[in-house]
Amino acid sequence: MKKSFLIALIGFSGYFVNAQTDSPKYSYDDLVPNASQSKVQAFVTQFLNNYHYRKFTLDDSLSSKVWSSFIENVDGSKAYFTKSEIDEFEKYRFKMDEAMLSGDLTGPFEVFNAYRQKYKQRHAYIKEYLTKPMDFTTNDTYQVNRNDAKWASNQEELDGVWNKIVLSQALGLKLSGSSDSAILATLNKRYDMYETRVLKWRAEDVFQTFMNSFTEVIDPHTSYMIPSTAAQFNIEMSQSLEGIGATLMNEGDYVMIKDIVVAGPLYKNGQGNKNDYIVAVAQGDDGEFQDIIGWLTDDAVKLIRGKKGTVVRLKLLPSDAPADSEPKLLRIVREKIKLEEAVAQSEIIDVKHDKKTYKIGVIDIPMFYRDFEYARKGGDFQSTTKDVKKFLLDFEEKGVDGVLIDLRNNGGGSLTEAINLSGLFITEGPVVQRRTGRGKVDVESDTDSELVYDGPLMILQNRFSASASEIFAGAIQDYKRGLIVGERSYGKGTVQQLVDLDQFLNSPRQASRNTKENAVGVGSNGLGFDTKERFGQLKLTTEKFYRITGNSTQLKGVEPDIELPSPFDPDEMGESSQPTALPYDEVDKASFVVVNTITDKLIGKLDSKFQTRLKTDESLKELVEDLDEYKAQKDKKEYSLNYEVRKKEKEETENNRKAVKKMNKSNGKSDKEDDLYMTESEKILCDMISIMK
């Protein structure tokens, strides 16, 4: 399902900038673009054409892709418009290139205003449908994902689609134990909230949707933020947050967790993950759950945000969960989150393996952090490299046999820290290469000859290890300094720059001068314009990363030397799942000397031992079987609308989801016993220590 940009990047932290604070009256009257939006559209179109890494042509081909993207963002489930109605909008398909350059927003607003009227009609139909008895004995089936469905030929066909949608939702509630009266009450409230959501949409929300329909055609990491969204984004970049520590966005009818703040309450709880859907919220330990399916993120925030020390309970549904999976229940104590607490942690554990006991030093790095302000002042500043160096020296003093670095779910951070951290394990040399859109390649190197740790080293990663994590893991692998274990990493090999549009569009003379120079980078320089009008922010891709071998981390990520069982197909999660992601390519190899601690022969021996355990260890055998069944259920396109059939399917689904939990990193201490990734990695490291001796 394509993500909606109607309300994006809205978090639980700080003050939410809300255009509705003056309690305006909502209606189905047509939304109309303003002059500022036309100005932004024309400027952003030309700016991206000049400065984005990917060189593209503003022509009919691009216009067609942008139009398809916008239609999908508005009605990707093909549940509101009929084919004939969509055909009426085809007049705009090849006119978007000229329209974007001139600031003409006629087409997008015509479609969206028509959509609002279609929703008004659909809401009335659903309310009438809910007055009739529901048949849970039918043999009909429901197509869960309608993105690939054909447009309905008429309204009667769409009515049939909605009958199944509502019946499926009712069946889900019934399977969760709701009574018939409770089901009707929940669905009535849910669809009333849907209508409120449609009524609350503003012209700037429509504009942001269209602009991001354009930017996502260029690449998935380029986006435009309207002023209120940009203001909230900047608040979240401050040093302290308050709430549960997460960022939300709408995806279809759901409120989705876009990101989790390291060291925040949700992170410490260990049960929530990025891309999970929040389906219900309750206050305190005894409050009733409020269904929030169909809510806008700013409305959901009002329920979830609260005073430090108070309790909120959430029902979370993983985005990849099969239909009718039971939501996870989370109890979270709200607190103030200090980003400086999101630091690396270490512990020394004794691992018994093959009748021997090994002392293993484990370092968990949740992100690559560096206090740039204090570093510039030359004082004692906090950084990933400095903290890990202390751990390594402590490990050496206490005589560990090997070191395991856990990079699972590490989404990146400071490039400087990724380079410096690599330097703790090699004497000196190149770590990563960067190429600009103009083709200039720079090599970033570790120049410190100090070697802090030269013993057995393992890096544990998963599909959510990205960016700076991939630079560090890739360098360790390229030098053959350590063993990489786990899943293929995310595959994000691009660099983004944030541009403050206020500094361009509020000062024509400065904008002209900056445009003639290299404008990328403006927005963080504090030029001090007296800006009276707000235009938002633009995030665009400006560079790509490459490993010292010349290979890119883009799309391919870092392949593990030993791959552990995974519930994910690499192409359904990560950068390669994005249809407009920048392509994989290569640059020239940098000059470096391989350490060769990890040889192909060593990897072969270790993998052979692991493959033997996969075939003989009962827990691993059961895990692989459960994961296979889970994948098959997850890939199902249609589900029965019969209560008895779905009840049986649900029981099977819940059993297999337990297998997925065993492969997930858990930050909660009580669940570490279920962390099979860590358990198997420890065994592989013990085998490596034994062989290397």
Side-chain angles (χ1 to χ4, degrees):
M1 183 183 295
K2 181 170 285 190
K3 295 177 177 61
S4 168
F5 290 95
L6 292 174
I7 297 290
L9 296 171
I10 305 301
F12 306 141
S13 54
Y15 172 69
F16 173 57
V17 181
N18 189 344
Q20 286 109 33
T21 53
D22 294 331
S23 299
K25 294 181 179 179
Y26 304 117
S27 74
Y28 279 108
D29 293 345
D30 282 355
L31 300 173
V32 180
N34 59 37
S36 293
Q37 290 157 5
S38 295
K39 184 190 296 187
V40 169
Q41 178 181 241
F43 180 82
V44 167
T45 300
Q46 190 62 61
F47 192 93
L48 290 176
N49 191 233
N50 291 337
Y51 297 110
H52 193 278
Y53 184 92
R54 169 177 268 162
K55 303 309 175 186
F56 60 91
T57 303
L58 288 162
D59 56 13
D60 285 353
S61 175
L62 180 75
S63 176
S64 180
K65 293 175 182 176
V66 171
W67 191 249
S68 293
S69 176
F70 177 65
I71 293 297
E72 186 173 347
N73 273 326
V74 174
D75 189 14
S77 61
K78 301 178 177 63
Y80 295 95
F81 290 116
T82 62
K83 186 179 186 305
S84 61
E85 291 165 338
I86 288 295
D87 289 343
E88 292 179 9
F89 299 136
E90 283 296 295
K91 60 188 176 184
Y92 294 111
R93 177 170 293 279
F94 299 108
K95 296 181 179 180
M96 285 298 99
D97 47 339
E98 294 94 344
M100 289 186 296
L101 281 171
S102 65
D104 184 359
L105 289 158
T106 303
F109 273 79
E110 180 181 325
V111 170
F112 205 86
N113 284 323
Y115 169 76
R116 279 160 55 89
Q117 294 301 320
K118 296 290 292 184
Y119 186 81
K120 179 181 179 181
Q121 299 167 14
R122 184 53 57 192
H123 178 257
Y125 176 85
I126 294 169
K127 296 291 283 188
E128 173 64 23
Y129 177 85
L130 289 173
T131 65
K132 303 172 184 178
M134 295 189 186
D135 181 12
F136 295 116
T137 64
T138 179
N139 292 320
D140 286 343
T141 59
Y142 167 56
Q143 184 178 355
V144 178
N145 189 335
R146 287 184 47 79
N147 287 354
D148 296 327
K150 295 181 179 180
W151 295 101
S153 58
N154 52 51
Q155 288 298 326
E156 289 72 23
E157 188 177 338
L158 271 182
D159 290 346
V161 170
W162 275 99
N163 292 347
K164 291 184 177 182
I165 291 174
V166 179
L167 182 59
S168 179
Q169 292 179 353
L171 184 53
L173 292 169
K174 186 176 181 68
L175 288 165
S176 296
S178 296
S179 65
D180 289 349
S181 60
I183 290 172
L184 289 177
T186 297
L187 291 179
N188 272 295
K189 289 180 181 178
R190 180 179 295 178
Y191 282 100
D192 286 343
M193 280 301 303
Y194 283 176
E195 184 181 39
T196 301
R197 172 181 172 178
V198 174
L199 285 169
K200 282 186 175 182
W201 280 328
R202 303 154 291 172
E204 65 174 354
D205 298 324
V206 182
F207 177 60
Q208 184 170 254
T209 301
F210 178 70
M211 289 301 294
N212 284 300
S213 297
F214 166 40
T215 60
E216 67 189 17
V217 165
I218 302 173
D219 96 293
H221 302 292
T222 295
S223 62
Y224 166 73
M225 289 179 277
I226 57 177
S228 60
T229 302
Q232 179 63 22
F233 177 82
N234 292 334
I235 288 171
E236 289 170 358
M237 293 300 102
S238 64
Q239 287 301 300
S240 65
L241 314 172
E242 189 160 315
I244 70 167
T247 303
L248 297 182
M249 69 180 293
N250 278 118
E251 181 176 304
D253 295 331
Y254 291 95
V255 173
M256 187 184 77
I257 297 173
K258 177 177 173 59
D259 210 350
I260 297 176
V261 179
V262 177
L266 185 58
Y267 178 86
K268 293 176 181 176
N269 178 278
Q271 298 300 300
N273 295 291
K274 289 194 294 185
N275 300 330
D276 282 357
Y277 298 129
I278 303 177
V279 297
V281 181
Q283 305 301 324
D285 288 312
D286 303 318
E288 293 186 5
F289 274 100
Q290 169 69 59
D291 179 280
I292 64 167
I293 296 176
W295 287 38
L296 286 173
T297 50
D298 53 328
D299 293 317
V301 164
K302 294 173 185 176
L303 288 183
I304 301 169
R305 186 174 54 196
K307 294 181 179 180
K308 175 183 176 182
T310 58
V311 172
V312 63
R313 288 177 293 134
L314 308 177
K315 286 186 179 181
L316 295 186
L317 185 66
S319 59
D320 63 337
D324 296 333
S325 293
E326 194 70 26
K328 297 182 290 186
L329 299 180
L330 276 67
R331 179 187 184 276
I332 299 174
V333 178
R334 301 176 177 104
E335 65 180 61
K336 189 169 185 178
I337 307 135
K338 295 182 179 180
L339 296 185
E340 59 265 27
E341 294 178 357
V343 297
Q345 303 288 334
S346 72
E347 64 175 331
I348 297 176
I349 59 175
D350 291 328
V351 179
K352 294 182 179 180
H353 179 60
D354 283 350
K355 300 180 180 179
K356 295 182 181 179
T357 299
Y358 299 85
K359 185 177 289 186
I360 304 297
V362 179
I363 301 175
D364 182 3
I365 304 178
M367 64 184 294
F368 286 84
Y369 50 90
R370 180 182 179 87
D371 192 325
F372 286 96
E373 181 178 352
Y374 276 90
R376 281 193 295 268
K377 293 178 180 178
D380 184 23
F381 63 95
Q382 190 168 40
S383 80
T384 306
T385 304
K386 293 176 70 173
D387 289 342
V388 172
K389 181 178 180 179
K390 292 177 184 177
F391 300 152
L392 293 174
L393 294 176
D394 180 61
F395 290 167
E396 181 180 21
E397 183 179 330
K398 294 178 179 176
V400 300
D401 297 304
V403 171
L404 191 160
I405 296 181
D406 191 349
L407 292 182
R408 288 177 296 170
N409 301 339
N410 184 320
S414 167
L415 172 64
T416 300
E417 288 304 314
I419 295 169
N420 292 345
L421 185 67
S422 303
L424 300 181
F425 305 97
I426 60 174
T427 51
E428 58 184 348
V431 174
V432 65
Q433 303 186 81
R434 302 167 64 177
R435 183 167 70 178
T436 68
R438 297 178 180 178
K440 183 176 182 295
V441 178
D442 291 316
V443 180
E444 305 281 355
S445 300
D446 163 50
T447 58
D448 187 346
S449 60
E450 181 184 15
L451 179 62
V452 177
Y453 176 74
D454 63 356
L457 174 66
M458 173 183 289
I459 309 296
L460 176 58
Q461 65 178 28
N462 65 4
R463 193 59 173 147
F464 302 104
S465 305
S467 196
S469 293
E470 296 174 294
I471 291 171
F472 170 64
I476 293 299
Q477 188 178 57
D478 291 339
Y479 276 98
K480 297 187 181 296
R481 173 62 189 88
L483 188 75
I484 313 298
V485 173
E487 298 171 291
R488 193 173 90 185
S489 63
Y490 191 88
K492 183 182 182 297
T494 58
V495 185
Q496 282 70 46
Q497 177 71 50
L498 196 64
V499 177
D500 186 351
L501 298 180
D502 297 350
Q503 296 184 357
F504 284 93
L505 297 175
N506 276 302
S507 177
R509 182 166 49 183
Q510 183 68 42
S512 175
R513 182 162 68 250
N514 284 336
T515 302
K516 291 177 182 178
E517 299 170 2
N518 184 1
V520 176
V522 174
S524 58
N525 295 332
L527 299 180
F529 300 137
D530 181 17
T531 57
K532 296 180 180 180
E533 191 173 6
R534 300 301 180 202
F535 297 97
Q537 293 180 338
L538 177 68
K539 184 179 70 171
L540 73 158
T541 299
T542 57
E543 292 183 334
K544 286 180 74 174
F545 285 128
Y546 297 83
R547 294 168 64 161
I548 53 179
T549 57
N551 301 317
S552 176
T553 56
Q554 178 66 8
L555 296 187
K556 291 189 176 183
V558 177
E559 293 280 358
D561 297 311
I562 298 180
E563 186 174 5
L564 301 181
S566 171
F568 303 118
D569 181 318
D571 291 328
E572 70 180 7
M573 189 74 68
E575 189 79 1
S576 58
S577 68
Q578 304 291 335
T580 61
L582 294 183
Y584 169 87
D585 59 355
E586 300 176 3
V587 296
D588 292 339
K589 179 181 178 180
S591 177
F592 67 100
V593 179
V594 176
V595 177
N596 220 29
T597 303
I598 307 299
T599 64
D600 292 342
K601 184 177 180 180
L602 175 61
I603 293 174
K605 289 182 179 180
L606 295 174
D607 190 49
S608 177
K609 286 179 173 289
F610 174 66
Q611 294 301 325
T612 299
R613 283 199 300 276
L614 274 179
K615 296 175 183 177
T616 58
D617 186 292
E618 290 302 320
S619 61
L620 285 177
K621 288 167 60 179
E622 182 180 351
L623 172 68
V624 172
E625 292 174 359
D626 289 345
L627 288 178
D628 288 341
E629 291 181 21
Y630 167 79
K631 291 176 184 177
Q633 291 174 339
K634 183 165 58 70
D635 293 338
K636 286 184 65 173
K637 305 295 183 185
E638 293 191 2
Y639 285 83
S640 172
L641 291 173
N642 183 288
Y643 175 77
E644 294 299 332
V645 174
R646 277 272 273 274
K647 182 179 179 181
K648 182 178 179 181
E649 290 176 344
K650 180 182 178 181
E651 292 171 352
E652 294 174 351
T653 298
E654 292 308 312
N655 287 334
N656 292 323
R657 278 210 61 77
K658 294 177 182 177
V660 180
K661 179 182 177 183
K662 293 179 180 179
M663 305 312 296
N664 287 338
K665 178 179 181 178
S666 172
N667 303 299
K669 295 181 179 179
S670 61
D671 291 317
K672 284 188 176 180
E673 295 178 359
D674 294 329
D675 191 350
L676 282 182
Y677 257 29
M678 179 60 73
T679 301
E680 286 305 313
S681 298
E682 291 167 357
K683 292 179 181 178
I684 295 171
L685 180 54
C686 290
D687 286 334
M688 182 167 73
I689 295 168
S690 177
I691 294 172
M692 292 176 70
K693 284 184 176 179

